[in-house]
Structures are given as C-alpha cells and as structure tokens.
Amino acid sequence: DTGVSQNPRHKITKRGQNVTFRCDPISEHNRLYWYRQTLGQGPEFLTYFQNEAQLEKSRLLSDRFSAERPKGSFSTLEIQRTEQGDSAMYLCASSVFRGGPKETQYFGPGTRLLVL
Amino acid sequence: SQQGEEDPQALSIQEGENATMNCSYKTSINNLQWYRQNSGRGLVHLILIRSNEREKHSGRLRVTLDTSKKSSSLLITASRAADTASYFCATDAGYGKLTFGQGTILTVHP
C-alpha cells in the first residue's frame, strides 16, 4: 500500500529556468491537489483535478504555472521562467471524492524548490 | 490566502502534559481537519470533524468544533517528545480544496 509520491524531493535551479515536478497519487484516488507552502506558513491551494479534468485554479497560479493530469493518473506541475519568489515546498495530495462532507486528503512528502 | 488564525503560534510543554491548540476560520465549512507536519516534511492527516459534529476523539486526540463561533480546538493528552511538530487546521467549504491556518509549532521536552 503505497502513499502519494513526489519527485524530485529537492530541486535547485537558476532564475529563468523551467522546472517540472511529478506527483503519483494513491491508486484509484480520483482527486489530485497541488498546494504551495512557504516557510512558516500553512499550505496554500494552487489547483486540483478530478480524474483528468482540472476543475479549479487559484489566482496564485500565474501564467507561468501549468499543471496536467493525463489519463487521470499522475500529475505534473511545470513552472516556466522561474523567479526567486517561486522558492517554496510544493505539496501534492490525493483523495477519493464521492460527494459528502468526509473527503480526506493524503499528502505526499513534497518537492522543495530553491530558485537562485 | 489563509482561512484564519491558529493560536498559539508556538507552544512549549513537558512530556506528559496536555497541549491545546485553537483554530479560527472565517467562512462556513463542510468539515474541518487537523494535520501534523514534521520539520520539512509532508502533512499527516490526524482527524476530520464534520460541520454537524461537535466533538471527536482519536486515541490521545480530542477535537471540538463550534460553528457558531467558527472555531475549533485540538487537544493532545499525555504528550510525548514524538508529538513535536507543526499542527495545522484546514477547512473544506464543500469544494474539496483545503484552506489552511498558519499553524502552531508544538515542542514537547523530554
């Protein structure tokens, strides 16, 4: 029984470079979420998918950010032309959504991005 | 943006003592959840309480919810050094996405 996995765990890049992160959710989880967490703060919602459909994007997600979930399985989050302000922990979570008030999200270990 | 505030921002106690953390939020919710995060790691789900519930227990954890005051509390009884972590409350307004507080840093001294 594997949990949510994220790769890479750490990424150091230079300003202006593109980076891509991958999230593998728990098998058969139909929802997948991306959050961003900066030091000393709680996670902030970025976007989420139900199966392969991207249902919502936060205003935090500028045009430089794009996320996909082809075939409703793994997801990728790409940041183009990285800026120092993009430095953060990027967290992925998955869940089984059947409607109702009891959806529990399971988080991966995160990808820590440092933009120099 | 953050949903609300957690209080205290930091809490330092001795092993065996109880730890209480409070969370306030701003909008109506479907449920409220508490998560733990060890330094630099992902979040671990602790407990979920639905908007029509007032209290819930899980092992050494007790969560209360007061929707009229838009507040919740997490009590950890008989704390252990291994409980040292950051604790976050998160609200679900019914759309699935979670809105987190800023967290309480708990330090339990052996």
Side-chain angles (χ1 to χ4, degrees), chain A residues 38-98:
Chain A
T38 53
L39 205 59
Q41 301 293 316
E44 292 182 295
F45 168 79
L46 292 178
T47 187
Y48 83 101
F49 296 83
Q50 181 155 318
N51 300 313
E52 65 274 11
Q54 188 173 20
L55 296 187
E56 186 175 347
K57 292 170 59 173
S58 163
R59 279 171 286 181
L60 292 174
L61 220 61
S62 75
D63 291 345
R64 297 184 296 105
F65 288 71
S66 63
E68 294 183 340
R69 193 184 182 198
K71 302 178 184 177
S73 55
F74 70 92
S75 176
T76 57
L77 177 67
E78 180 183 17
I79 309 174
Q80 296 182 327
R81 304 180 304 281
T82 52
E83 302 172 355
Q84 288 181 325
D86 296 331
S87 295
M89 173 84 91
Y90 290 83
L91 294 162
C92 174
S94 70
S95 69
V96 176
F97 178 74
R98 300 188 185 98

Side-chain angles (χ1 to χ4, degrees), chain B residues 81-101:
Chain B
D83 295 328
T84 294
S86 294
Y87 291 81
F88 295 92
C89 69
T91 53
D92 176 0
Y95 307 106
K97 67 180 184 182
L98 295 176
T99 304
F100 286 82

